[in-house]
Amino acid sequence: MLALSLSGRVAKRAALVAGQRRAPQPLVSRANILHRSIQTVAQTDRDTITRLLYSIGTKREVERYLRIFSSSSNPIQPAKFAVIKVGGAVLDQLDELALSLSFLYRVGLYPVILHGGGPQLNELIEREGVVPDYIDGIRVTDAKTLQIARRVFLDENLKIVSALEKLGTRARPITSGVFTADYLDREKYGLVGKITRVDKRPLEASIRAGALPILTSLAESADGQILNVNADIAAGELAKELEPLKIVYLNEKGGLFHGVTGEKLDVINLDEEYYDLMKQPWVKYGTKLKLREIKELLDHLPRTSSVAIISADSLQKELFTDSGAGTLIRRGYKLFKHGSIDSLGADRLRQVIRDRDPDVLAENQSVTEVLNNLKKTPYTIYGDEPLDVVAIVAHPEGEIPVMTKLLTSRNGILNNVVDNVFNAVRKDHRRLFWTAHADDENRAWHFERADGSFTRAGKSLFWYGVQNVDEVERVVRDFEEKGRIDRSYLPVGPSAPPHRASATPGGTRSYSTLARRAPSSTRGYATAAHSPSSTEPKKLALIGARGYTGQALTTLISGHPLLNLTHVSSRQLAGRPLEGYTKTPITYSNLSVDDVKRMEKDGEVDAWVLALPNGAAKPFVDAIDSGVAERPGPSGSGSVIVDLSADYRFERDWTYGLPELYSRDAIRSAKRIANPGCFATSSQLIIAPLLPLLARPAWPSVFAMSGYSGAGTIAGATDPDGRPTTVPKVSSESLGGGVRPYSLTDHIHEREAGVHLSRLLPGDAEGMKIAFVPTVAPWFSGIVSVLSMPLNGRLSARELKTLYEEKYANEKLVRLQSGVVEVKDVQNQHGWVVGGFQVHSQGDRAVVVGGLDNLLKGAATQCLQVGSPDIEAECHAEPVPEPQSGARLGRVRWHPVA
């Protein structure tokens, strides 16, 4: 858990901030110095914890939520951040709870904590010979039960306060004076109360004094009788009074779960889903009651308020990341789409523009000018019912749409309405351009959702759906001629064309076709040039272009400015046109070894890529070697060979092509390169940073799951036009929705990874071994590898992650993330992703999760990365849905990075 990273030093600093056990200061001047010193330490604590939060989410996410939560409260209303209800079962996880609450305290956030104690109460009253009695789910409370309940609640309250104080977090027990209640039904339930009034003054006084208020759910009647109140109900009444941004229910399950599939429900938008959800046969009993209570609660609160049901150790992730951790329940919103101002309401739109449009606020435009410009072309207005987000898209017939306005409120950002509105726009328009100011506080949001951008003089132009630089230039010229986008946003003028512009005055790149990574998206696509000796495109021949890897290579080469595909060979497809290559028409041939020898002798190609089954490459390699021998010119001037099979991965005369771990210089100068296997690539990258901690003879274990494309293809039925087709050797249907372990011992990639990792060990060290178990899974592509490795010394999770950060600091095809790597993180990605850094509680075993797309970094991307001597690629591509046919990979781009 993240909170376990709190060091003793930080805890001691927090204790200093809390003002505990300090000696009296006799001089005023020294007291002033001390006060400033305490403030400095407090700020240091806040900065430290904020940096720790960066490990669970992006810096943008953390800082945005901190800003929103911090601004929710003020000296007059200090309790507007959150109400956290702690379930009785969570009280058994007191350390986890205290650490999570301390995190909030140290970043200056003061939630109101209300706890129950049901399990503890049941245990104690049964021990004293009282049988718990319930009617309609409500505990019947007699005098003896109430006496025990008071004792239990006071004990649990003090436990929470003590645990927080030990961490230097000031806390104040508040066991009475907040809730006033009448009897719910004295004859039926006994001493059970129905809350009639909430006095928030004790809570606000606690927060103003710098202490977290810790409440029980006991109430008092008007004549002073103590009454028992269900803690969930008390938390709801408290929230109605305080109207906080967040109402958090901590329980041991960590959320609500689907009654049939067992999957956690991530988000419930009540306005859209409530009535349909309540009709589901699996929604019954406690779940139905909980949903009804939450809806009634949120109906009384502002739309900014939301409910989260999570576990104690996931509190930070739920609060400070877009993805969250448990179940988020909110009133939600219904999206609209209008084709005219009148159908939306002119006054409503005018008000939104007046309050939020940056050009209007800066007095560069008037509201009337905005509306008049809007009427010049066909347009659509997108948004949600409360108008927290309004997007206006102009779409003249036959032209690329432009989102002329994206106006968001604070609520629209906080509740992710902006993403939902943008997705609605994206659904309607496969290509789009829009603009943003450099001082837009959500500017990173635009970069993350764009395929490309141009920035100059504090103004940015963004777009998606246009991959070709020439097309971008054409669109920009069209915008300039027709005045559809203000010229100050466009890459036009006396300067060089945008794709040749090297830098902005500030020294940063002004023009980019990189797609920045979005929470549910991927990075962009670029090429880093290494002083190429020539800009003349290289000629490639591909032998074995029929399978998935061949298709992926064809698509990548089609988008590469310095590589041209001149020959593709496939015995089954000879004479048919190559699909997926757009530079020039190419027809499949069936190259024989004699053809290959002649072509090599005549220098027809600069590089050969062999995408053949294991054991099939040697005749072609021998033919190329023979052609080189007969080739005029200096010795060693032959073509480069990149072999994608396992045939040459153990040969000393061949260079092993994994540049992140082994000599880049050797790879760049090599003529014979063995492309690593997909499983072996991920296994080596995930183990290499930990080799200094190898605990012999306990070798590391890697369990890996791959999409079924890794098993390759077999011949399928013939198309009506006579074209042979291929089908997956293993399909998702044949797996029955499950997974299939195979080659449980002695998989070729097990040996491959061990042999090459041994090169990284000290010279006198014994050869390396790994234990490797592969599994084929029902998704199309993507490998997830889980490393479990005994260590020769103790290590913390933070230190573990640092080893990977240091090892791959300058690797453009390696990306670190805090969370566990999932298939969605690697599909259609050109690099390797690693995350989920965990260390066993005893500190002597590390578990790390890595992954890659087996057709890209596991094959095609890596081939181009190592096969072009003048280029090492930093590759990025937007995610592409897997087509039904199994063919995939969208159009990608290669261009020099300035």
Side-chain angles (χ1 to χ4, degrees), residues 540-858:
L540 265 69
L542 174 59
I543 301 179
R546 188 184 183 199
Y548 291 132
T549 299
Q551 295 170 23
L553 270 167
T554 298
T555 305
L556 292 182
I557 296 170
S558 181
H560 199 306
L562 298 182
L563 295 175
N564 285 338
L565 193 58
T566 58
H567 298 79
V568 288
S569 178
S570 170
R571 178 171 53 84
Q572 294 89 347
L573 297 175
R576 298 185 178 276
L578 172 65
E579 297 176 350
Y581 186 77
T582 60
K583 291 182 179 178
T584 57
I586 294 183
T587 301
Y588 280 100
S589 59
N590 181 18
L591 296 177
S592 66
V593 292
D594 292 333
D595 294 330
V596 171
K597 177 180 177 180
R598 176 191 55 76
M599 291 169 61
E600 179 62 26
K601 176 183 176 181
D602 296 342
E604 290 189 21
V605 298
D606 299 300
W608 299 87
V609 177
L610 307 182
L612 296 164
N614 291 342
K618 189 176 187 306
F620 295 97
V621 173
D622 291 345
I624 296 168
D625 287 341
S626 297
V628 171
E630 298 179 14
R631 192 171 184 171
S635 175
S637 61
S639 302
V640 173
I641 304 176
V642 180
D643 179 38
L644 303 187
S645 74
D647 293 3
Y648 293 95
R649 293 174 189 161
F650 303 97
E651 298 294 328
R652 291 183 178 275
D653 295 336
W654 284 62
T655 300
Y656 189 69
L658 187 53
E660 288 83 4
L661 296 181
Y662 311 109
S663 174
R664 272 190 165 80
D665 291 336
I667 293 171
R668 289 196 190 110
S669 61
K671 292 289 187 179
R672 302 292 181 266
I673 302 171
N675 212 51
C678 52
F679 280 130
T681 295
S682 190
S683 296
Q684 292 174 81
L685 290 172
I686 203 170
I687 292 172
L690 302 184
L691 286 178
L693 299 173
L694 194 64
R696 300 170 181 273
W699 302 109
S701 298
V702 176
F703 171 78
M705 301 180 71
S706 171
Y708 61 81
S709 62
T713 61
I714 56 176
T718 302
D719 278 349
D721 63 356
R723 184 185 182 93
T725 65
T726 59
V727 296
K729 188 179 295 183
V730 176
S731 67
S732 58
E733 291 79 11
S734 69
L735 294 171
V739 299
R740 182 184 300 160
Y742 68 99
S743 296
L744 302 183
T745 62
D746 300 301
H747 190 285
I748 186 68
H749 289 189
E750 179 179 83
R751 178 183 167 220
E752 178 186 338
V755 166
H756 291 287
L757 283 171
S758 297
R759 296 161 53 186
L760 302 178
L761 297 175
D764 58 348
E766 178 189 354
M768 176 78 187
K769 293 181 181 179
I770 74 167
F772 175 68
V773 179
T775 300
V776 63
W779 55 82
F780 179 70
S781 70
I783 289 174
V784 174
S785 304
V786 182
L787 167 69
S788 177
M789 180 168 166
L791 307 174
N792 61 18
R794 295 182 65 84
L795 194 69
S796 69
R798 175 64 261 182
E799 292 167 335
L800 174 65
K801 186 178 181 182
T802 299
L803 292 175
Y804 286 81
E805 291 171 340
E806 293 175 349
K807 180 71 174 178
Y808 299 121
N810 299 314
E811 296 299 340
K812 302 196 188 321
L813 285 185
V814 174
R815 177 170 62 83
L816 275 72
Q817 65 182 47
S818 298
V820 169
V821 176
E822 302 178 43
V823 176
K824 64 182 176 64
D825 298 321
V826 301
Q827 278 185 329
N828 298 340
Q829 295 283 319
H830 289 269
W832 181 70
V833 185
V834 61
F837 305 95
Q838 298 286 322
V839 176
H840 188 270
S841 57
Q842 295 182 0
D844 59 355
R845 180 171 65 88
V847 177
V848 184
V849 184
L852 50 76
D853 191 309
N854 51 289
L855 299 181
L856 296 176
K857 178 58 178 169

Side-chain angles (χ1 to χ4, degrees), residues 18-52:
Q20 295 175 349
R21 294 184 295 278
R22 297 204 53 79
Q25 304 297 324
L27 297 177
V28 173
S29 59
R30 291 189 61 188
N32 289 336
I33 294 172
L34 175 62
H35 178 69
R36 289 195 298 271
S37 174
I38 290 176
Q39 287 183 321
T40 302
V41 173
Q43 182 61 43
T44 302
D45 271 352
R46 180 186 171 97
D47 293 344
T48 300
I49 302 304
T50 301
R51 286 194 295 270
L52 287 173

